[in-house]
Amino acid sequence: MISTWHIFYLERNIGFQLRRWALKIMSLLISANRLFLLTQSRRLRKLIEGKFSVQVLTSPSTTEYHCDLSSETIQVALNAALAGPTYQKADRNQDREWFIDLLLKGQEASTVVRQKPTVHAELAMIMEMAKGKLRDVEPYIGVSKLACIMCSHYIRIFNEVTEQKIAVKGCHGKAYPGWFWPSLPDHDGKLRPAFLGRIRQQLRDDFEQHVEARRLSDSSVGSDGAALEVARNWTLDEIADLYDTE
């Protein structure tokens, strides 16, 4: 129920986000309903029988960093990701310029400073598991939100390097400049290079996917002169959302 104070906020545009809180409440109801359904399953009921333990994890320490999002830096990163004869054709230069412009759309500053970057909850839990502080747990990390694309890639690389089978609910596909990787001294030597390689692969895949979608949209005319509706993987707004900041 919306209180009188909330109506007051809405009428005066004080920033109360009704839709956001409604989604949070619905998310809680959906989670509660899933737990209830879990109790009805003969096989899964054992997961919630017995005692639950709550362990509070401290936020891992991080260091300040500067993220250079200038067109020149993105060009260098894109060139590294697209290294190879397939991407050296002259007609690819225009594609690169379009893709970089798309990534920079709506970006106010070329340098993003994160004084307090964050190790996301999923990776904080993995840190504690790797240190042996979290034991006897199921290899599934459940959080209120889907994992970001950086966490998703990191967890996959972590599983490959350590031969674990940690799973998450899913990935929403967005990346955040405030993201920070965890410190795992016993594995960082293999983890971080492999992770950076996966990110380069993601950049290459995004480039190919968006350029192909653009070309299809530019040539979507049938033989009878009628425009054909082409099924695109992403709209421009959805593509820009992939690089939103928190």
Side-chain angles (χ1 to χ4, degrees):
M1 181 178 295
I2 300 177
S3 67
T4 305
W5 280 110
H6 291 165
I7 295 176
F8 175 85
Y9 292 154
L10 290 172
E11 290 178 346
R12 287 159 180 77
N13 194 27
I14 300 181
F16 174 74
Q17 299 182 13
L18 180 61
R19 180 176 179 274
R20 178 182 178 185
W21 283 103
L23 290 175
K24 287 181 177 294
I25 294 173
M26 290 302 299
S27 177
L28 177 61
L29 292 175
I30 292 173
S31 298
N33 184 59
R34 287 174 177 170
L35 284 175
F36 174 76
L37 294 176
L38 187 62
T39 65
Q40 309 305 305
S41 171
R42 295 181 179 180
R43 294 183 178 179
L44 302 179
R45 187 182 303 170
K46 293 181 180 180
L47 291 176
I48 60 175
E49 289 180 343
K51 296 181 179 180
F52 279 93
S53 62
V54 177
Q55 184 172 341
V56 179
L57 304 180
T58 58
S59 180
S61 59
T62 58
T63 57
E64 175 183 339
Y65 71 86
H66 295 237
C67 182
D68 186 355
L69 298 179
S70 65
S71 59
E72 294 79 11
T73 301
I74 296 178
Q75 179 74 64
V76 172
L78 187 59
N79 289 342
L82 300 180
T86 305
Y87 301 96
Q88 300 303 321
K89 298 178 181 179
D91 60 346
R92 285 301 180 105
N93 292 333
Q94 185 177 1
D95 291 336
R96 297 185 194 212
E97 293 176 1
W98 170 82
F99 185 65
I100 292 174
D101 289 341
L102 180 64
L103 296 183
L104 294 176
K105 181 181 178 181
Q107 187 69 37
E108 296 180 357
S110 60
T111 301
V112 176
V113 180
R114 286 293 180 270
Q115 296 180 349
K116 294 182 179 180
T118 304
V119 175
H120 289 188
E122 301 94 322
L123 303 189
M125 295 182 68
I126 286 179
M127 285 182 63
E128 298 302 307
M129 294 171 63
K131 295 176 181 178
K133 295 182 179 180
L134 279 179
R135 299 178 179 178
D136 302 324
V137 295
E138 295 291 335
Y140 177 81
I141 299 177
V143 294
S144 59
K145 297 181 179 179
L146 298 178
C148 73
I149 195 168
M150 305 291 279
C151 286
S152 178
H153 283 315
Y154 189 93
I155 292 172
R156 290 182 182 179
I157 294 299
F158 179 85
N159 286 339
E160 293 176 6
V161 171
T162 64
E163 298 183 351
Q164 300 288 330
K165 295 182 180 180
I166 298 175
V168 293
K169 182 179 179 180
C171 173
H172 57 55
K174 293 183 180 180
Y176 301 111
W179 185 89
F180 202 86
W181 51 21
S183 176
L184 298 172
D186 293 339
H187 304 292
D188 283 343
K190 293 182 178 180
L191 264 173
R192 295 186 175 182
F195 171 75
L196 293 176
R198 180 65 64 89
I199 295 303
R200 292 191 186 98
Q201 178 65 49
Q202 181 67 58
L203 181 60
R204 181 163 61 247
D205 292 344
D206 287 347
F207 173 80
E208 287 291 345
Q209 185 177 36
H210 303 334
V211 169
E212 182 64 21
R214 182 191 182 207
R215 289 177 176 172
L216 288 175
S217 66
D218 289 343
S219 60
S220 57
V221 178
S223 57
D224 59 351
L228 298 178
E229 184 178 354
V230 176
R232 301 176 59 184
N233 291 325
W234 304 93
T235 65
L236 292 180
D237 289 337
E238 288 172 338
I239 294 170
D241 285 341
L242 292 176
Y243 301 92
D244 274 348
T245 57
E246 269 186 333

